[in-house]
Every structure is written in structure tokens, then in C-alpha cells.
Amino acid sequence: MNRAAMIETVPADAKLAKRLFTVGCFFLPWLWIVNALYFWARIRADESRVSEAAKPWIWRSTIGGAVSVVLVFVWAILVQLKWEEWGLESILVHEPDESDGSTGEEW
């Protein structure tokens, strides 16, 4: 790759990383994970293949993606443990009911 082509791709990397991070802030945190995975191989292979301007956006996306994954798992565990206590029966697909003899095995 010649020097002119490298100069043209450096700002594009930073622009893409920043755009994916920004769009991820609008309730699409999976884009943070995509951003981190897309650039991770390039960072690990050769540090010079990713511009210095893109690295802060990549690290922010990595941290944001990790935090969002943890929050989703915590939310799922809490709902599974507390749905009865919180009165969430109306949003369940199938509410177990022992009064009619149903064991839930029909599903």
C-alpha cells in the first residue's frame, strides 16, 4: 500500500469509529460491540493500521459495549427472579397456573 492511500484511509477509520460510537449512543449499543470487533483485529495485528484519532472512539465503544452486555444480563436475571414479586404476570407468554393441573409441559 502506498503512502497516499494510507493517508486517505486514516481519517476514514476515525470517522467510521466515531460514527458507530455516536449511533450506538442512540439506544443501539450493539453497534459499540460491532465497532470494537471490527477494529480489534486491526489493532492487534498492527498498531499503525488504525489512526490515533480512532483509538479513543474504539475504546469508548468497547467499554460501552461491555457495560451494556452486563446490564442486559443483570436485567434478565432480575426479571427471572422477581417477576412474581413485581406483578409482571401480564407480560408473560405463559403464566404457570397449578389450579388447572397444568404443569407447563404442553409447551
Side-chain angles (χ1 to χ4, degrees):
M1 179 182 284
N2 63 17
R3 182 83 174 146
M6 285 180 65
I7 292 172
E8 290 177 8
T9 59
V10 168
D13 286 348
K15 188 175 181 180
L16 177 63
K18 183 177 179 180
R19 185 175 295 156
L20 285 173
F21 176 79
T22 305
V23 173
C25 290
F26 293 104
F27 303 109
L28 295 171
W30 60 272
L31 281 176
W32 290 335
I33 298 168
V34 169
N35 193 13
L37 292 176
Y38 176 74
F39 285 105
W40 188 254
R42 295 174 66 185
I43 288 173
R44 299 285 291 170
D46 185 13
E47 287 284 331
S48 64
R49 291 185 64 194
V50 178
S51 70
E52 289 297 320
K55 288 181 183 178
W57 298 108
I58 297 166
W59 287 114
R60 290 173 189 158
S61 293
T62 303
I63 293 167
V67 169
S68 65
V69 166
V70 168
L71 288 176
V72 166
F73 277 112
V74 168
W75 172 80
I77 290 169
L78 280 175
V79 168
Q80 291 296 316
L81 294 175
K82 302 284 188 174
W83 66 270
E84 290 179 82
E85 187 178 314
W86 291 344
L88 299 177
E89 294 86 7
S90 62
I91 65 168
L92 294 177
V93 175
H94 175 72
E95 179 183 348
D97 186 21
E98 291 83 22
S99 64
D100 64 356
S102 174
T103 60
E105 293 179 12
E106 295 86 18
W107 292 89

